Amino acid sequence: VGMKSEITRDSIHGMHVALEPDETLVATLSPDLATFWRSNAILALAGGVVAGAALVYVGNPAPWVGPVAAVLSIGARAAYLRSEAMAEIWRLTDRRLLGPAGRIVPLSSLKLARPFFGAVQLVTQTGDKHLIKYQADVAETLARIDAARPGPP
């Protein structure tokens, strides 16, 4: 029996929600590659500092290994997840946010849309939470969502 040469992507990631007949697309909220790499670089830097400090604390004779390992592991993780992260596209319509994996967030159900560690966090009236990650300009994304919401934000 031979091995497969490629991994088959789970079909849920490709799920696409169609617009309703009288629904208007306002914006496509695509992840930004530079923001993706920047956030992973910050994560690698923070992980490196913590790993190095922990090794110094326990008296390890080679504390430089911690930061190097953190940078290499987080870099490898980022390279592996890049294509999946860049495929997480949200669409903003005049009444809903349509996200990856078939997520649907009616704008009328939004309790809160706020910045969250470089992403946009959506919180619904029922407490459901969603992240729109790796936006180049979080403030602009929030302004677009607020402008599309019914009534006062």
Side-chain angles (χ1 to χ4, degrees):
V1 176
M3 301 221 12
K4 284 180 116 177
S5 62
E6 65 182 64
I7 297 172
T8 304
R9 184 177 287 249
D10 190 330
S11 63
I12 192 168
H13 294 293
M15 183 180 277
H16 184 78
V17 177
L19 296 180
E20 294 175 352
D22 57 343
E23 190 172 22
T24 305
L25 182 66
V26 174
T28 300
L29 307 174
S30 299
D32 177 64
L33 186 59
T35 303
F36 171 79
W37 286 118
R38 184 173 41 256
S39 69
N40 279 282
I42 291 167
L43 185 62
L45 178 65
V49 168
V50 170
L55 291 175
V56 167
Y57 178 75
V58 299
N60 188 297
W64 61 269
V65 172
V68 170
V71 168
L72 289 175
S73 63
I74 291 170
R77 174 191 167 275
Y80 180 76
L81 294 176
R82 183 182 69 85
S83 64
E84 188 172 317
M86 293 298 102
E88 288 194 10
I89 297 170
W90 285 78
R91 293 175 297 148
L92 174 64
T93 74
D94 57 345
R95 67 181 82 153
R96 304 182 294 172
L97 277 155
L98 307 174
R103 283 178 256 175
I104 300 172
V105 181
L107 294 176
S108 60
S109 76
L110 273 183
K111 177 180 180 181
L112 184 64
R114 65 179 172 198
F116 184 77
F117 293 110
V120 173
Q121 182 184 44
L122 307 172
V123 182
T124 67
Q125 301 291 341
T126 59
D128 294 333
K129 294 178 181 165
H130 305 275
L131 280 179
I132 303 175
K133 296 185 272 185
Y134 310 119
Q135 295 297 291
D137 187 342
V138 171
E140 180 184 337
T141 300
L142 286 166
R144 286 179 167 184
I145 293 169
D146 284 340
R149 289 172 77 176

